[in-house]
């Protein structure tokens, strides 16, 4: 029986986020868990507990917002976790400037309606080397379109209630990987610096060159390499 890895996507991404790493991780069973339309992280925890009730311990990987959800769950329910991997996400709260911007975005939707992700906007979010990857751009647009207004409002609203989790990470006793791009403009770099300075034996911070946020789609080979290392590593 293959060992399982549970995958939680990020803001406005679905199971297609994993389609480029799936063929590279055939030795594992990858199980996608959509983000539920819940804005309360404790209620999300109850949702995840039901998903994991038949498992002894799980290998949990989260991307971006999904990384925060996975971290919050792991901190609140450490007995459920075998190991944790966070891609392009931090354990930080949402700062006041970003909080204001996101609330303005919701007000804009209320006044003018929900707008799909344009090709130009999607193109601006990918690394220079991937700007000719039309399949990548279309996946990003299609995921956003499929999930739509309701999911966008729910997921964005959930970020209003993020709190800083750095201190709680110190008390965990399972392996944690954080994997980022060095120049990802969507990240909180103060949070990454905090992680690096914590110097915990169970926590590893890995930085790749580049600007990518959507690492599972833009750099699946590097991500896969670190996932395999994570799955084969232990604290002992």
């Amino acid at each position: 029986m293959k060992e399982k890895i549970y995958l939680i996507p990020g803001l406005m991404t679905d199971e297609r986020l994993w389609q480029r790493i799936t063929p590279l991780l055939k030795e594992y069973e990858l199980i996608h868990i959509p983000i539920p339309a819940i804005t309360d992280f404790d209620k999300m925890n109850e949702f995840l507990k039901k998903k994991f009730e038949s498992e002894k311990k799980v290998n949990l990987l989260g991307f971006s917002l999904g990384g925060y959800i996975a971290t919050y769950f792991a901190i609140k329910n450490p007995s459920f976790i075998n190991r944790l991997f966070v891609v392009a996400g931090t354990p930080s709260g949402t700062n006041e400037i970003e909080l204001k911007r996101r609330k303005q975005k919701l007000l804009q939707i209320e006044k003018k309606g929900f707008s799909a992700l344009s090709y130009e906007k999607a193109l601006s979010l990918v690394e220079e080397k991937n700007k000719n990857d039309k399949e990548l751009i279309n996946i990003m647009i299609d995921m956003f379109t499929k999930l739509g207004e309701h999911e966008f409002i729910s997921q964005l609203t959930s970020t209003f209630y993020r709190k800083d989790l750095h201190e709680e990470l110190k008390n965990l006793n399972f392996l944690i990987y954080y994997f980022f791009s060095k120049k990802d403009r969507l990240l909180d770099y103060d949070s990454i610096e905090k992680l690096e300075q914590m110097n915990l034996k169970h926590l590893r911070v890995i930085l790749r060159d580049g600007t990518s946020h959507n690492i599972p789609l833009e750099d699946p080979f590097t991500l896969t390499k670190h996932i395999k290392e994570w799955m084969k590593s232990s604290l002992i």
Side-chain angles (χ1 to χ4, degrees):
M1 184 179 294
K2 294 181 179 179
E3 194 167 359
K4 298 174 183 176
I5 304 175
Y6 285 89
L7 309 169
I8 305 176
L11 184 73
M12 299 305 278
T13 58
D14 59 26
E15 65 275 7
R16 284 171 288 181
L17 177 70
W18 318 115
Q19 69 181 48
R20 292 184 173 182
I21 67 169
T22 300
L24 307 175
L25 290 166
K26 291 182 177 178
E27 63 265 49
Y28 302 108
E29 181 182 355
L30 305 184
I31 302 172
H32 171 75
I33 303 177
I35 296 176
I38 300 170
T39 58
D40 183 296
F41 289 111
D42 290 319
K43 290 181 180 178
M44 284 190 196
N45 280 352
E46 294 306 312
F47 169 84
L48 290 173
K49 279 184 182 180
K50 290 179 182 178
K51 290 285 184 183
F52 303 148
E53 61 187 0
S54 63
E55 305 286 347
K56 290 183 178 179
K57 287 182 179 287
V58 299
N59 303 304
L60 188 57
L61 185 151
F63 165 74
S64 194
L65 173 58
Y68 184 87
I69 293 169
T71 304
Y72 191 90
F73 179 83
I75 286 169
K76 298 295 183 180
N77 305 277
S79 63
F80 279 79
I81 303 297
N82 189 32
R83 50 174 66 85
L84 174 68
F85 196 120
V86 178
V87 185
T90 68
S92 61
T94 305
N95 65 53
E96 288 300 319
I97 294 173
E98 185 62 22
L99 192 59
K100 184 177 179 180
R101 188 187 72 81
R102 294 181 185 194
K103 287 182 177 179
Q104 287 175 339
K105 180 65 177 177
L106 292 185
L107 286 173
Q108 183 181 5
I109 291 172
E110 193 176 303
K111 292 178 181 178
K112 299 182 178 179
F114 178 73
S115 299
L117 183 67
S118 69
Y119 193 92
E120 291 73 21
K121 179 61 175 177
L123 190 64
S124 74
L125 296 173
V126 303
E127 290 185 337
E128 192 64 36
K129 67 180 181 181
N130 292 321
K131 291 195 182 290
N132 292 323
D133 188 341
K134 292 184 178 179
E135 180 188 62
L136 167 64
I137 305 300
N138 286 326
I139 291 169
M140 292 169 63
I141 293 169
D142 289 346
M143 288 191 295
F144 196 95
T145 302
K146 177 187 173 185
L147 289 166
E149 180 178 352
H150 178 71
E151 291 294 334
F152 182 76
I153 292 173
S154 174
Q155 292 179 14
L156 195 67
T157 301
S158 74
T159 67
F160 299 170
Y161 308 111
R162 288 175 60 143
K163 63 179 183 178
D164 193 284
L165 302 175
H166 290 84
E167 284 300 310
E168 286 90 337
L169 291 174
K170 294 179 180 179
N171 301 321
L172 302 177
N173 60 359
F174 46 77
L175 191 63
I176 307 171
Y177 272 41
Y178 276 91
F179 183 42
F180 313 100
S181 294
K182 288 181 181 178
K183 296 180 180 179
D184 180 354
R185 64 187 183 187
L186 300 179
L187 292 182
D188 179 342
Y189 281 90
D190 288 338
S191 177
I192 296 174
E193 188 175 347
K194 281 184 187 178
L195 289 171
E196 291 178 317
Q197 292 176 350
M198 287 166 75
N199 195 29
L200 302 174
K201 68 176 183 178
H202 62 280
L203 190 152
R204 183 175 178 195
V205 177
I206 306 165
L207 293 170
R208 63 177 290 279
D209 290 326
T211 63
S212 175
H213 188 69
N214 282 306
I215 294 173
L217 287 170
E218 291 203 71
D219 192 4
F221 291 99
T222 304
L223 175 57
T224 298
K225 180 187 76 171
H226 292 303
I227 290 173
K228 289 182 177 183
E229 178 188 275
W230 169 69
M231 287 295 290
K232 293 174 182 176
S233 298
S234 68
L235 295 179
I236 299 173

